[in-house]
Amino acid sequence: MTEAEKLPKELTVRFRMTAAGASAQGTLPLATFVADVIQVATDHANALGVGYSRLIEDGNSWVLSRLTLELDRLPRIHEDYSLTTWIEGFNRHFSERNFELRASGVTIGYVRTVWVAINVATRRPADLSGISHLQDTISDRHCPIEPQRRIPAPSADVADVYGVTFRSSDIDFNRHVTTTRYVELAVDALPLDLYDRAATRRFDIAFRHEALWGAEAKVVTAPAGDDPLDYITSVELADGTQLCSVRHTLRAVAES
């Protein structure tokens, strides 16, 4: 067996949903789920020898560029769940990584992600040729959800807008605003009572530009069309620079 063949093409990490971490609806918050996805991706990258310690040798670091998820539901209080990850594609510019979410013995969701490396000094995209052995870890495992949809701009004439200033707890070790903070902003753009009637079915987020400590931004949200459970959100700096765009599609849930 070659060294490449010894590398784990998949990694499964198990979690437990606690009451302390639950949303108002008694489920795993979407931002926490995305944090779990990032943790599992990080653990697998480390196992493959392409984690932070390896990339920083070249002055680089992984950055999440796009994330798409589809859910039947989210884990509930006191429920055990797991995430399994594998690499779908890799080249010298980016890596495509997928996930399967399971709880109570069944699959309840899938996630697609695209990761790029940036040079931490220049903040520009890095060349990943130095970790080309990732080609040998690509899995033929199928991910059944469609890649990310095009995310249009929210319609300004019907948009709801609120402002935010990024503070210390919003910043990660790359010194920019965290992925989960953007997810929280998109979730918070919709009213609490909507989440009592509907749950996330699909969530697409694309990261366009980084934001730093102290930046002031606005969160602009509008219906994506005629569907009352489909929304577009754009997070933008005061000068109009778009930080991220989101399409959040929900589905009605039965009253308990």
Side-chain angles (χ1 to χ4, degrees), residues 179-232:
T179 297
T180 53
R181 183 61 174 129
Y182 290 119
V183 176
E184 290 172 342
L185 293 176
V187 170
D188 289 349
L190 304 179
L192 181 62
D193 65 341
L194 176 60
Y195 294 112
D196 293 331
R197 298 180 283 108
T200 298
R201 179 174 66 82
R202 180 166 170 127
F203 187 91
D204 299 275
I205 183 166
F207 300 96
R208 313 293 188 188
H209 195 276
E210 68 177 352
L212 308 178
W213 182 91
E216 296 182 353
K218 61 181 179 179
V219 183
V220 184
T221 300
D226 295 332
D227 185 346
L229 296 178
D230 195 10
Y231 293 88
I232 303 295

Side-chain angles (χ1 to χ4, degrees), residues 13-14 35 45-46 50 58 70 74 77 85 96 116 123 173-174 190 208:
V13 178
R14 292 171 176 80
N46 288 334
V50 294
D58 300 324
E70 286 190 8
L74 281 160
I77 293 175
T85 188
E96 297 169 296
V116 299
R123 319 302 285 184
F173 70 91
N174 286 318
L190 304 179
R208 313 293 188 188

Side-chain angles (χ1 to χ4, degrees), residues 1-7 136:
M1 179 179 291
T2 66
E3 290 302 314
E5 290 173 327
K6 295 178 183 178
L7 295 174
D136 299 320

Side-chain angles (χ1 to χ4, degrees), residues 79-114:
E79 188 172 30
D80 295 321
Y81 63 99
S82 67
L83 273 167
T84 298
T85 188
W86 65 97
I87 295 175
E88 181 180 272
F90 170 80
N91 61 37
R92 68 187 185 91
H93 299 295
F94 61 87
S95 174
E96 297 169 296
R97 175 182 287 282
N98 302 330
F99 303 78
E100 179 186 28
L101 171 65
R102 291 178 62 84
S104 298
V106 298
T107 299
I108 60 172
Y110 286 94
V111 184
R112 287 184 175 273
T113 60
V114 177

